[in-house]
Amino acid sequence: MAARGHVQDPNDRRLRPIYDYLDNGNNKMAIQQADKLLKKHKDLHCLFLACRSPSPQVLKAIGLQRTGKQDEAFSLAQEVATLEPTDDNSLQALTILYREMHHPELVTKLYEAAVKKVPLSEEYHSHLFMAYARVGEYKKMQQAGMALYKIVPKNPYYFWSVMSLVMQAISAQDEKLAQTMFLPLAERMVEKMVKEEKIEAEAEVQLYFMILERLGKCVEALDVVRGPLGEKLTSELRSRENKCMMMYRRLQLWPECNALSYKLLLKKRTDLTLSPFVPPHLPSSSSCVEGPVQTTVAEAVKFVVDRMEEQDKKESRPLRGPYLACLELIHRLRERGCPDEKELGDPLELMVQFFGKFGDKPCCITDLKIYLHLLPPEQRSQFKNRLGELVPLGEAGEDGFEFPGDTKTLQRHLCVCQLSRALGLQHALDTEGKLRLITELKAHYHHGLQFGKSCLKTELQFSDMYCLMAAHVYIDLWTETGDENMLWQCLGVLEEGLSFSPSNAQFKLLLLLLFCRLGAFQPVVDLYSSLDAKHVQHDTIGYLLTRYAGSLGQFAAASQSCNFSLRFFHSNQKDTSEYIIQAYKYGAFEKIPEFIAFRTRLNQSLHFAQVRTERMLLDLYTEADVTLSLEESVKAMGVCPEEDDIPWDNMRDNRDLTVLVSWDPKDRELTEEHRRLSLEEESVWLKVRSLTLRLLASLALLGHAPSPRNSDKTNENGISAKSSTLQTLLSQLDQTLETAAQITEKQTQYPFLGPPSSRLASALSSGSCHCQTSALQLSLTLRELETTGLGGDGERERDMLSRCKGDVLEMKDGRLTTRPALLETLVFFVETVCVVLWVASYSASVLRPLKSSLQKKKKKKKDSSTAMHASFCSLSPPPLSFFFCQSVPLTCLSLSRSQEECGFTRAAMDKVQSSYLGSLQELGDLLRKRADSLKSLKI
């Protein structure tokens, strides 16, 4: 809120109640109090401004904005802004208001006027610079920074101007302009300060280095870092060395790179795997400016072996780096086909040695997994057995399994199980072997719970990973055998695990994925909410939720899911601007381009475009012609059919496709080809949905009656010139559907824990895309209505409905089976009904003026009307039992497990059934509304 002074004057007394109401969120009372003041003194706002106090109008505008009255608030704010206030309180109040109204560009006008009236104010010049920073006016930022430096000659202001030049170079469309004008000018400005010995802070040296680096002056950049200025680089660990290493690599100075790496490794030996041991093309010289050079592979091998021997002799806590460095060097030497790898030892023995020292740490599995390819297939079982010998388990219990006696032994045994899966040994088991493995994993899970009895709810149980691995093996059995009972038991295991570890994100993510695969969206929203995703996670993992948001008939939950992500994306622009301003204030200049790139990456996000498009389509399908007309809905969304605002050429796939933990072997892991194909599928599906949205917007505008002055642009049927846009979009949609058909023919199979398949294949197989396209095409060829009727004989609609028939949940031979694809097909059918109905409504509006001419063909019209009605006879929604088997006795499952375990499975089944009922209820309600609209449709 605007700052309040401590001097008690009449104006402050009058305004204090308004401040208090706004601070407490009582915006209506704040508005009323401001109105009282303004009515009592009509010109009071001028008096307040003269006394350097905020006008009651500004405070009223803030209250109006926070109660949703945007237009009134904006009008009041502009009235005050035209008076060009110069008091800090009014300026800050207006700044708050404009920021909340997403009009940061108006803040610059406020401070431009204030600076003109008070030209020597350091504060106002500073606020003007930051206002320009919020809107990215880099040239004006440069000018404002220099003007500020002339008034108050402080280094930070000078370098604000320099950084603004760098930002002009980064944002310039012409790279040549950046390299020949902006960056050289910035370099000269910094050199001036260097020559005058005015460089004071580390941030100024960082900026100088950044400029030289972008100009490609690597030698000069090295001189800066290694010279006196480099001594100021102290805030980050090894900042000078890292910058030197960067420049050495760009200049291909391999001896210096090698020698510096050698020095760094001796200082911090845990980073052994991060350094190039033997860079290519080393000369024969044994030293350089950085010190001695390791010129041969033999020297690199000796260096690593010496570090390992040092660790073996130490009695203190061992370091993982030297042992991992040995495995890394073997890996690199094998890639080069170098025989010296044998001098480092047998990879199996090295990994066994590593496990012996670090097997009780959770990082052991991630450390060793990336080197398992060094083991030949014939050594894999031997490796597992050797590791098992290093796990001291207790005596066998009644079930025949040996259990660990403490948490460290438990972690070792768990690591062996994880490595066994990563080696593919679990996948090689037959069905009986996998069932025995599941029994063993669950036994270890239950036994391990005793070690976590004192754990808080926010802490994970020590044995959680046994439970998760058992779930993975259940999924293997389900995908291999098709036995859905395995899936139900998997859900039961995860629900049980979540009851003991309510904060386990992996349990929640896998449950979320499985429920979505079953078509049960209802429990998914709560699971995602409980993950408490923060900031950018709404972009990286939000796809797990939004992929299924609109496809399973839970429209209310789908709307909520889209809002999770959209709230983050909409606040991104505002939040990033604040980060940039803070970076300027504290001199973190090198972070500013990163913040700009981050904002751009989010604006170009595939997920952002998907959620925004799906949310608008969802609103149209559920609300258009129910609460608002199609035309009003489109106008409220601000959709312009002629404009495509999706950055297709710069689309960024920010999805984290490896968020679910997996111990699968390399041949089952997600590949770059999988990522590419998934992005291609999602992009084409987004194109289909975006074109559908724009076509519906075009149809809405097409149905709008043209004004008389545009009547010359109207054809004989009353269709305006907007039909050309509709035709263009239909042509683009046809081309996109052809591309989609080619993609679906590939039938790409992704790893189960990888990216979810797009809706593309199911949309094409349901026939909805072509049915919608044909319906929209009719709006351009109204003459066909006189002979064929809307939608012909309704064959396509009936064919789509026939694909929706069946039991989504059925008990068969004592086993519960699901058909979630029916729900998705039914959703496509409902969407198609909406589209066809809007086309019919538009057609009726066009044909209604021609009623007199159509009466001559009364008989023919009657037949056509009958045909149209027949097309929609299926709109009467069937009862819910139409989609369910007559009885689903969930308690009749023959599950050979304890009553408690069965309870978790039954709970999961109840959630699925409840979700199905909710989906069918919402779909039925929407169909009833559309059926009512159809009944009122007359020519």
Side-chain angles (χ1 to χ4, degrees):
M1 206 50 251
R4 284 177 269 180
H6 295 287
V7 179
Q8 292 296 318
D9 58 33
N11 291 335
D12 187 60
R13 267 198 325 273
R14 291 186 183 112
L15 292 176
R16 184 173 297 280
I18 307 178
Y19 277 119
D20 291 337
Y21 286 132
L22 288 174
D23 289 341
N24 295 327
N26 196 342
N27 298 308
K28 290 185 179 180
M29 288 301 298
I31 295 169
Q32 291 177 16
Q33 190 67 25
D35 282 334
K36 286 180 183 178
L37 273 177
L38 292 170
K39 285 178 181 178
K40 190 173 182 180
H41 306 282
K42 293 183 179 179
D43 296 326
L44 192 63
H45 63 280
C46 297
L47 175 63
F48 275 92
L49 294 179
C51 297
R52 304 186 66 79
S53 296
S55 164
Q57 279 186 300
V58 182
L59 302 181
K60 178 184 176 181
I62 293 175
L64 288 170
Q65 193 276 333
R66 292 177 180 177
T67 54
K69 298 177 180 178
Q70 303 281 348
D71 294 338
E72 293 180 53
F74 186 75
S75 177
L76 275 176
Q78 291 301 88
E79 285 182 26
V80 179
T82 54
L83 299 175
E84 297 184 350
T86 57
D87 66 286
D88 186 55
N89 289 331
S90 292
L91 289 171
Q92 285 194 28
L94 283 169
T95 298
I96 290 170
L97 179 61
Y98 286 143
R99 283 172 59 191
E100 289 185 2
M101 297 180 72
H102 305 290
H103 285 297
E105 70 282 354
L106 297 179
V107 179
T108 62
K109 300 185 184 300
L110 282 176
Y111 282 102
E112 283 172 356
V115 163
K116 286 180 182 178
K117 289 187 174 183
V118 192
L120 298 180
S121 171
E122 177 184 2
E123 182 182 4
Y124 289 170
H125 276 281
S126 176
H127 281 307
L128 178 60
F129 180 89
M130 296 307 174
Y132 286 140
R134 282 192 178 92
V135 295
E137 291 278 1
Y138 301 124
K139 184 174 179 59
K140 291 183 178 180
M141 288 167 63
Q142 177 200 347
Q143 296 167 351
M146 285 309 298
L148 187 55
Y149 180 71
K150 289 176 182 177
I151 297 170
V152 186
K154 296 179 181 178
N155 270 25
Y157 299 150
Y158 185 87
F159 283 92
W160 284 4
S161 182
V162 175
M163 185 62 209
S164 300
L165 272 171
V166 175
M167 291 309 301
Q168 288 181 70
I170 293 173
S171 60
Q173 298 291 333
D174 186 357
E175 181 64 23
K176 186 178 179 181
L177 190 65
Q179 293 292 323
T180 58
M181 188 173 80
F182 296 128
L183 289 175
L185 178 56
E187 181 188 15
R188 288 196 298 272
M189 288 180 68
V190 180
E191 285 177 345
K192 178 177 178 294
M193 299 294 279
V194 173
K195 289 176 182 177
E196 296 175 1
E197 297 184 352
K198 291 183 178 179
I199 299 292
E200 299 173 351
E202 178 184 2
E204 296 159 10
V205 180
Q206 295 271 20
L207 181 55
Y208 191 21
F209 179 84
M210 185 197 308
I211 294 168
L212 294 172
E213 181 190 0
R214 289 185 177 275
L215 281 169
K217 295 186 176 182
C218 299
V219 176
E220 291 84 347
L222 268 175
D223 292 340
V224 169
V225 175
R226 292 189 299 201
L229 290 177
E231 295 176 3
K232 296 182 182 294
L233 301 173
T234 57
S235 64
E236 295 182 14
L237 184 64
R238 301 202 310 270
S239 179
R240 295 182 72 183
E241 291 86 347
N242 290 337
K243 284 179 167 50
C244 285
M245 185 73 75
M246 185 194 312
M247 293 299 103
Y248 288 149
R249 287 174 175 170
R250 289 186 62 174
L251 292 168
Q252 297 188 356
L253 296 175
W254 301 121
E256 287 79 0
C257 191
N258 177 279
L260 182 55
S261 298
Y262 180 76
K263 285 198 300 185
L264 292 175
L265 291 173
L266 289 177
K267 289 181 182 178
K268 191 168 179 65
R269 293 164 185 172
T270 55
D271 286 348
L272 278 164
T273 58
L274 304 179
S275 174
F277 292 101
V278 190
H281 314 302
L282 281 177
S284 56
S285 61
S286 59
S287 65
C288 64
V289 294
E290 291 289 352
V293 181
Q294 305 288 311
T295 59
T296 65
V297 173
E299 287 178 315
V301 170
K302 183 178 184 303
F303 176 80
V304 173
V305 171
D306 289 346
R307 304 289 81 72
M308 289 180 62
E309 290 176 353
E310 286 180 9
Q311 289 298 307
D312 291 338
K313 293 177 183 178
K314 286 174 63 176
E315 296 182 359
S316 59
R317 182 175 64 88
L319 300 176
R320 293 153 48 225
Y323 301 96
L324 293 176
C326 191
L327 293 170
E328 177 67 19
L329 187 54
I330 292 174
H331 163 68
R332 296 191 187 189
L333 293 177
R334 279 193 184 181
E335 282 187 333
R336 297 187 190 181
C338 183
D340 291 315
E341 63 151 297
K342 296 179 181 177
E343 298 180 20
L344 291 162
D346 182 7
L348 185 146
E349 294 298 332
L350 290 171
M351 283 191 268
V352 170
Q353 183 183 7
F354 184 87
F355 180 83
K357 292 181 178 292
F358 309 104
D360 57 353
K361 301 182 182 300
C363 61
C364 184
I365 173 62
T366 53
D367 287 342
L368 291 182
K369 186 182 177 184
I370 57 177
Y371 298 113
L372 291 179
H373 65 280
L374 299 177
L375 297 175
E378 61 273 11
Q379 284 189 348
R380 292 176 181 175
S381 295
Q382 178 189 354
F383 176 61
K384 179 198 170 186
N385 294 334
R386 288 284 303 279
L387 296 185
E389 294 171 1
L390 299 177
V391 182
L393 297 176
E395 296 182 1
E398 295 179 1
D399 47 13
F401 299 123
E402 298 176 346
F403 298 111
D406 54 53
T407 55
K408 288 192 173 183
T409 308
L410 181 149
Q411 185 58 51
R412 284 181 177 277
H413 182 263
L414 179 59
C415 186
V416 173
C417 295
Q418 292 167 330
L419 287 169
S420 174
R421 185 166 180 82
L423 288 166
L425 299 178
Q426 291 185 4
H427 297 85
L429 297 173
D430 58 13
T431 301
E432 290 299 321
K434 288 177 179 174
L435 288 173
R436 285 195 300 271
L437 174 62
I438 289 171
T439 303
E440 180 181 357
L441 290 172
K442 288 197 294 186
H444 276 276
Y445 169 66
H446 291 127
H447 176 268
L449 290 176
Q450 64 179 303
F451 301 120
K453 288 181 179 179
S454 61
C455 288
L456 301 175
K457 288 187 176 181
T458 53
E459 296 177 323
L460 305 185
Q461 291 289 330
F462 292 99
S463 59
D464 273 356
M465 288 302 157
Y466 286 119
C467 181
L468 189 63
M469 190 177 296
H472 285 187
V473 182
Y474 271 131
I475 291 171
D476 292 341
L477 286 170
W478 175 47
T479 54
E480 291 169 9
T481 65
D483 183 359
E484 207 159 303
N485 187 39
M486 298 294 102
L487 182 57
W488 295 118
Q489 295 193 43
C490 176
L491 287 170
V493 165
L494 291 171
E495 289 281 6
E496 181 183 7
L498 197 59
S499 70
F500 288 104
S501 290
S503 298
N504 192 308
Q506 287 300 320
F507 289 165
K508 295 175 184 179
L509 287 168
L510 191 52
L511 276 171
L512 188 152
L513 178 63
L514 293 175
F515 278 128
C516 284
R517 294 287 180 95
L518 283 171
F521 194 74
Q522 198 174 67
V524 166
V525 178
D526 289 337
L527 280 170
Y528 186 82
S529 297
S530 67
L531 284 170
D532 198 19
K534 301 294 187 185
H535 205 254
V536 75
Q537 288 178 320
H538 288 298
D539 188 26
T540 57
I541 67 173
Y543 73 93
L544 292 169
L545 185 68
T546 56
R547 153 62 182 88
Y548 300 94
S551 62
L552 299 175
Q554 297 269 345
F555 298 126
S559 179
Q560 182 183 350
S561 304
C562 292
N563 287 338
F564 281 142
S565 295
L566 286 177
R567 273 196 297 268
F568 160 67
F569 286 114
H570 289 158
S571 65
N572 165 49
Q573 196 78 16
K574 174 184 169 184
D575 292 344
T576 309
S577 296
E578 296 307 312
Y579 304 153
I580 294 169
I581 286 172
Q582 294 304 313
Y584 272 107
K585 284 183 178 179
Y586 296 103
F589 296 122
E590 60 183 3
K591 296 299 178 184
I592 294 172
E594 294 179 20
F595 290 141
I596 299 293
F598 176 72
R599 179 170 62 190
T600 302
R601 179 170 186 150
L602 291 180
N603 289 338
Q604 296 174 348
S605 167
L606 167 71
H607 184 230
F608 180 31
Q610 287 176 322
V611 174
R612 188 178 50 175
T613 303
E614 290 296 335
R615 175 60 197 270
M616 287 191 282
L617 282 171
L618 184 64
D619 287 346
L620 286 181
Y621 291 136
T622 57
E623 299 297 334
D625 284 342
V626 177
T627 57
L628 294 173
S629 68
L630 177 63
E631 183 184 351
E632 291 172 332
S633 298
V634 168
K635 285 184 177 179
M637 293 175 185
V639 181
C640 181
E642 293 85 2
E643 296 179 5
D644 186 359
D645 57 355
I646 297 177
W648 298 105
D649 295 333
N650 300 308
M651 189 78 72
R652 300 294 296 269
D653 186 2
N654 299 331
R655 297 174 298 167
D656 183 357
L657 300 179
T658 57
V659 65
L660 284 100
V661 167
S662 171
W663 304 287
D664 289 339
K666 197 166 185 178
D667 59 336
R668 292 173 177 259
E669 285 182 339
L670 187 72
T671 64
E672 288 303 317
E673 181 66 9
H674 286 140
R675 293 176 182 272
R676 186 188 67 80
L677 291 173
S678 176
L679 176 59
E680 183 183 28
E681 276 188 34
E682 295 293 348
S683 298
V684 172
W685 175 241
L686 174 60
K687 187 82 170 177
V688 171
R689 300 295 274 181
S690 174
L691 286 170
T692 301
L693 176 63
R694 293 168 64 197
L695 278 164
L696 293 176
S698 182
L699 179 66
L701 299 177
L702 194 66
H704 182 62
S707 60
R709 59 183 172 182
N710 290 333
S711 58
D712 56 323
K713 296 181 180 180
T714 305
N715 65 18
E716 61 182 5
N717 284 332
I719 304 176
S720 70
K722 293 284 184 181
S723 60
S724 61
T725 301
L726 189 65
Q727 181 62 62
T728 301
L729 293 175
L730 279 169
S731 176
Q732 292 178 17
L733 182 57
D734 286 336
Q735 295 174 4
T736 306
L737 290 176
E738 288 179 8
T739 304
Q742 295 171 2
I743 290 175
T744 54
E745 286 176 1
K746 299 177 184 178
Q747 297 183 343
T748 305
Q749 297 294 321
Y750 300 105
F752 187 88
L753 300 178
S757 58
S758 74
R759 299 176 64 190
L760 198 59
S762 54
L764 292 179
S765 63
S766 70
S768 66
C769 292
H770 294 94
C771 191
Q772 292 178 26
T773 305
S774 300
L776 290 165
Q777 186 69 41
L778 284 176
S779 61
L780 294 176
T781 55
L782 290 177
R783 288 185 180 275
E784 294 182 13
L785 296 178
E786 299 182 44
T787 57
T788 63
L790 180 62
D793 59 358
E795 181 180 349
R796 284 185 175 176
E797 290 87 347
R798 285 195 292 271
D799 183 49
M800 282 192 66
L801 182 60
S802 67
R803 293 193 179 107
C804 302
K805 294 180 180 179
D807 296 325
V808 291
L809 196 62
E810 179 184 11
M811 180 67 73
K812 190 174 182 181
D813 299 329
R815 294 183 181 276
L816 191 63
T817 59
T818 61
R819 293 177 63 190
L822 286 174
L823 277 180
E824 192 162 14
T825 304
L826 184 58
V827 170
F828 282 128
F829 172 74
V830 172
E831 291 181 1
T832 304
V833 165
C834 294
V835 173
V836 174
L837 187 60
W838 289 326
V839 173
S841 178
Y842 164 73
S843 303
S845 68
V846 172
L847 293 176
R848 200 170 291 119
L850 305 177
K851 185 176 181 180
S852 58
S853 61
L854 292 174
Q855 284 176 343
K856 298 176 182 179
K857 304 176 182 179
K858 187 174 182 181
K859 181 66 168 64
K860 188 172 184 180
K861 177 186 174 185
K862 182 178 179 181
D863 294 341
S864 176
S865 178
T866 304
M868 182 178 74
H869 183 40
S871 301
F872 294 98
C873 64
S874 58
L875 279 183
S876 299
L880 295 183
S881 58
F882 177 83
F883 297 98
F884 283 90
C885 183
Q886 289 300 317
S887 95
V888 184
L890 298 182
T891 57
C892 294
L893 291 174
S894 54
L895 303 174
S896 55
R897 297 172 297 148
S898 69
Q899 186 176 357
E900 184 180 1
E901 290 181 61
C902 289
F904 289 112
T905 303
R906 282 197 295 272
M909 291 176 174
D910 288 341
K911 290 178 182 179
V912 172
Q913 186 179 29
S914 175
S915 180
Y916 286 167
L917 287 168
S919 296
L920 295 172
Q921 187 67 53
E922 287 198 46
L923 288 166
D925 290 343
L926 183 55
L927 278 174
R928 287 187 188 91
K929 293 175 183 177
R930 296 306 175 195
D932 292 340
S933 300
L934 176 65
K935 291 174 184 177
S936 62
L937 188 62
K938 295 180 182 178
I939 297 177

